Amino acid sequence: MAVNSTPARPERPAAPAARSPRRPRGEGQWALGHREPLNPNERIKKDDDPLNVRARIENIYAHRGFASIDPQDLRGRFRWWGLYTQRKAGIDGGRTAVLEPHELEDEFFMLRVRVDGGQLSLAQLRVIADISREFARDTADITDRQNIQYHWIRVEDMPEIWRRLEAVGLQTTEACGDCPRIVLGSPVAGVAKDELVDPTPAIDEIVRRYVGDPAYSNLPRKFKSSISWLVDTPYEANDIAFLGVDHPDHGPGFDVWVGGGLSTNPMLAKRLGVWVPLAEVPDVWAGVVGIFRDYGYRRLRNRARLKFLVADWGVEKFREVLEKEYLGRALLDGPAPQLPSRPVDHIGVHEQADGRRYVGAAPVVGRVSGAQLAELADVVEAHGSDRVRLTPYQKLLVLDVPAERTDSLVTALRGIGLEARPSAWRRGTMACTGIEFCKLAIVETKARGEELVARLEERLREFDTDISIHLNGCPNACARTQVADIGLKGQLVVGPDGRQVEGFQVHLGGGLGMAQGQSAGFGRKLRGLKTTAEELPEYVERLARGYLAGRADGETFANWVIRVDEEELR
């Protein structure tokens, strides 16, 4: 009998039963029923409304001292009252991501004071100066969010600091935390010649109604706002922004933008395409915050900003939800804002609508002191003014100056270290807090920025065009590095001797849509383009000289960067 030599094939195993499709994981959106705490920050907020921590600060911690503070209050809820622990001195940037929070932090605090719209009276300025000198070792930085930021604050002093601030109408409520932060505003609101509507009443109403309201104190993450008739705030970098527009049928009102934010996943705000009259701005603002509260992503902390929701939904769905679920009515379609012929920063002497003048002056990288602010108050009063404004570019303005007193004021400001006719370098350079005080930072920024400005003023004093240089101590972009002509993101780099040293990754040619002909975009990152901190002044000087030598007629730095070969940028 013949034998079949072909081996029998093994039987295939039975196919597994078809699995039911996996349900998509929830993003922690309250409106969809996902209310379980999904990360440590959400648990802290669920356990107790962070606004309640003020009572414990006043009644317990201020009496028992730093050691008595509950860790969840210290590293969580304190932020809702403007308080962060500051970095312990002597810890280098290489250990920032390695050490635990308690190993990084000192027993002192950074404190932010809200200055919504950047508006300060002379009485408020004097109180800010006095607090700096008495409680903050003479520190007081002007931030690019129009805040005043102190350092070296003790918890024992907070009740008295609050008493003094609130006596003149200032507050630290929700200056930090997962809540509505300061509302940016035009530093010339109410006095600008080109302003058709002063949005200050809307800013004031938002602060009065909603700041400190428990209904809005637990958001997925921070919420940044800007309201200005003029295009003089970084509106595209905010969660919500209102910009002035003149509707052909309905008159002056505001265009609405949503979903902007920088940091490690930068996105620019998008137009909703609506027109909102001044009286309705607070309601629309609250509706957008409500969407963020209810639909924002709470599962992952790194996706908990409004920009991710806007990116996923798109503006059409976002507008539909806003109108149907939060406002109960349709919004009117509206025109896009008209951009000015060139970017506006208000530095120098300018005429107000009433014929008086305002004078904009620049400290270096926003660094001032209590003593300097006290001198400023004296100078302001001596020149017949009672009002000072802070800008979103770490600068300040003096309003209501008689025309015949402006030269005297410019001279007096220069005498206290504030320059109303600054070089392009001083005018355009900003820096975040950096490693000196910030627990997240990797490199020094303020001192590096001051050194950079001094070097460039010495070597390139006659540089004849606007240029922005933003230094940041880490990837979080508090100084808006991605939208600067030269953005410098702090990191450790390999130095000439092969060891790691402080340095910066370089972003080139970024910007926002602040003037006609400008398109918003993030800076160009060239592979391997980094500089040590020591070599930074030399690098920027070389880059600036290359631009001056190679630019076309009227070509901006940003356009030159896009056009030239990479080798010219190294």
Side-chain angles (χ1 to χ4, degrees), residues 184-490:
L184 294 186
S186 170
V188 293
V191 303
K193 294 178 68 174
D194 297 331
E195 182 183 68
L196 297 185
V197 173
D198 177 2
T200 303
I203 295 175
D204 292 345
E205 186 68 5
I206 286 169
V207 173
R208 185 189 68 81
R209 280 196 218 170
Y210 303 116
V211 172
D213 181 352
Y216 296 90
S217 66
N218 182 357
L219 305 179
R221 280 194 77 177
K222 58 190 170 186
F223 187 86
K224 296 184 176 182
S225 309
S226 173
I227 305 175
S228 175
W229 176 267
L230 301 178
V231 185
D232 58 356
T233 70
Y235 63 98
E236 291 166 298
N238 284 267
D239 294 281
I240 187 170
F242 294 83
L243 271 183
V245 292
D246 196 4
H247 195 287
D249 299 320
H250 304 286
F254 292 87
D255 188 42
V256 183
W257 297 63
V258 295
L262 300 179
S263 192
T264 52
N265 289 285
M267 300 183 195
L268 297 173
K270 299 175 175 62
R271 287 190 64 233
L272 279 187
V274 302
W275 176 88
V276 177
L278 177 65
E280 296 178 13
V281 167
D283 291 337
V284 173
W285 181 93
V288 173
V289 180
I291 291 176
F292 182 43
R293 176 194 61 205
D294 301 336
Y295 286 99
Y297 303 150
R298 294 176 183 261
R299 182 174 67 88
L300 298 177
R301 186 80 175 160
N302 62 2
R303 275 180 52 82
R305 290 293 301 275
L306 182 66
K307 62 186 178 183
F308 293 103
L309 182 66
V310 172
D312 289 347
W313 277 9
V315 292
E316 290 185 9
K317 179 177 178 179
F318 193 96
R319 177 175 173 177
E320 180 182 8
V321 172
L322 174 63
E323 292 174 333
K324 292 182 176 179
E325 297 187 27
Y326 291 84
L327 298 177
R329 58 182 172 80
L331 294 168
L332 293 171
D333 292 339
Q338 296 295 311
L339 299 181
S341 59
R342 58 176 297 168
V344 177
D345 69 0
H346 304 299
I347 299 300
V349 178
H350 304 270
E351 187 176 0
Q352 298 180 176
D354 62 4
R356 292 181 290 180
R357 304 293 189 266
Y358 68 85
V359 179
V364 181
V365 296
R367 174 132 289 176
V368 292
S369 67
Q372 189 178 26
L373 293 178
E375 290 178 308
L376 172 64
D378 292 339
V379 166
V380 170
E381 186 173 26
H383 287 80
S385 173
D386 185 48
R387 295 195 291 175
V388 170
R389 300 278 177 90
L390 309 181
T391 86
Y393 301 93
Q394 299 181 340
K395 311 299 190 293
L396 59 86
L397 276 59
V398 181
L399 305 189
D400 308 329
V401 183
E404 66 274 12
R405 305 296 306 279
T406 55
D407 287 344
S408 172
L409 176 60
V410 168
T411 300
L413 290 172
R414 181 176 297 131
I416 61 172
L418 300 171
E419 184 55 67
R421 297 186 175 115
S423 68
W425 309 111
R426 180 165 176 158
R427 184 172 189 160
T429 302
M430 299 198 310
C432 75
T433 300
I435 201 170
E436 181 181 10
F437 296 116
C438 179
K439 300 193 300 293
L440 301 178
I442 302 167
V443 305
E444 168 59 40
T445 54
K446 291 290 189 184
R448 295 293 183 191
E450 291 173 331
E451 176 189 358
L452 177 62
V453 169
R455 165 71 176 270
L456 294 171
E457 285 184 339
E458 176 187 348
R459 301 293 298 273
L460 287 168
R461 179 72 187 183
E462 302 307 318
F463 191 80
D464 62 351
T465 189
D466 294 333
I467 189 167
S468 56
I469 304 175
H470 297 182
L471 296 90
N472 218 82
C474 75
N476 289 324
C478 295
R480 303 195 292 270
T481 44
Q482 297 104 324
V483 292
D485 286 316
I486 303 175
L488 300 164
K489 182 176 75 175

Side-chain angles (χ1 to χ4, degrees), residues 122-140 148 150 153 160-161 164-165 168 369-375 377-378:
L122 201 57
Q124 291 171 330
L125 180 62
R126 290 194 185 281
V127 167
I128 286 171
D130 289 344
I131 290 172
S132 169
R133 291 184 293 182
E134 190 168 342
F135 301 109
R137 300 189 188 181
D138 207 30
T139 61
I148 288 290
Y150 295 126
I153 298 294
E160 177 61 14
I161 290 172
R164 294 191 191 185
L165 289 172
V168 292
S369 67
Q372 189 178 26
L373 293 178
E375 290 178 308
D378 292 339

